[in-house]
Amino acid sequence: MDASRAVAGRLPSWTRAPALFAGTAALGAFGALASYELSPAALPAALAALAAISLGIWRLEIGIAILILINPFTENITTGGVSSNPIVAFLAMWIILLLVTAAARELVDGRPLRRPPMLAAAVLFFIAAIVAVPVADQTIPPGKFLAFYSGVPVYLLVAMFIDSWQKLRWVLGAILAAGLIISVHAIWQYATGHFSQVGFIGPSGSVQLRIESTFPHPNQLAGFIGIVVPVAIGLASAARGWSRTACIAVATLALAATVLTFSRGAAVAALVLPFVYRPVRRAWPLLLVAAAALVLLAPSIWQERITAIGNTSNPEIRTRLDLWSSAEQTFVDHPLVGTGLDSFSQAYLAQERPERTYLGGDAPIQAPDTAHNLYLNTLAEQGIVGAAALALVIFALARLIMLLRRGVLARTRAIGLTLLGTAVVVFVHNLFDVTLIPKTSILLWALFGAAAAAFELDRLDAST
């Protein structure tokens, strides 16, 4: 009996649960077919989905890496249901399937489920979002809700079930690879003139259109690749050889792409990074390269746009101040649970405020999607309940950073440095925008999960 158990222990876990594997794979294929509504692309999509799900069940870390790489290329969320966003719906379903399968595997193998750092904060954050759904006046399709908050299950997937440094490298490598691909694509768009319809008029009167890659808005693109910059710098501080070179290249390209989005929030966040990494001597070469890239690659109109931040007579700055004031008023009117998830545009239009500037002149009515400030937007849409949940996440994140910075291993401390830089970038950028859309949220929560997994692995190494 002992010999048979030893042999079984060397086999992949799913071979001891073929029914679980077959049932999950069949459910994934059915979900893919349903998502694509049996269009001509349904069969190849179902086969690709089945292959991805099967690979993820066999090797969870590879499945998570594929998920992270696919994430930036999903649809940009619309107000429609599942049929309007089939890839997003499938991705959300895939995350849940991987989570359920990984948990079932642990139980089948007789191993207790881990309780990683930030677990309580993540769960309460998710619950606060659920509370904010029925409060909203409009109907929010379940698929859209899952897309916006599927980042939390990704955190659970990585933090609870990535149990070795080798597996963790897949996750971190996928984060860097996704950032590299999007950065290169964004730079290519700028170089070839493939601009979006979003732009601005500079102080000199020139019109500058902006790039957005696969994202709905240039600021959302900046929010995504802006995260990659501190990730690459932080990991490079402990990397060696070609890995270090690759991290430097990713950081430089991501920074260049961030500059070319003309996002002021992301630019200010990038300028704060040298102060974050100042005590780390090994980071200074990376910061010098990044600073050189910032100076050499920044167009002159970008410099004009940055210097206009303090000019309250600038139309764009007046618009931001107007939105922030509207969010504050919305919170005052609905302090406990806000006006509901994804409802700021309706709240803005409902207010009778003669000083409103967003609608502008004779232009057709166009309501803002968000308050262009994560914290004010959370107060407006989710009230004290949502703000408390967000504050708890920030507190738990700060605690995790401190734990990682005290880690036994150099790579653990490097991940703590990575998380610190990322937290600063996200915090600063979201003073001016709301960048936590589904694509960025999944990337960010995957990084949170990787950091939590690194802490658990470091603790195991310290005890052996």
Side-chain angles (χ1 to χ4, degrees), residues 179-193:
L180 175 63
I181 293 169
I182 294 299
S183 298
V184 170
H185 182 245
I187 294 172
W188 174 84
Q189 278 190 330
Y190 187 87
T192 57

Side-chain angles (χ1 to χ4, degrees), residues 89 107 141 145 174 393:
L107 295 176
F145 169 79
V393 169

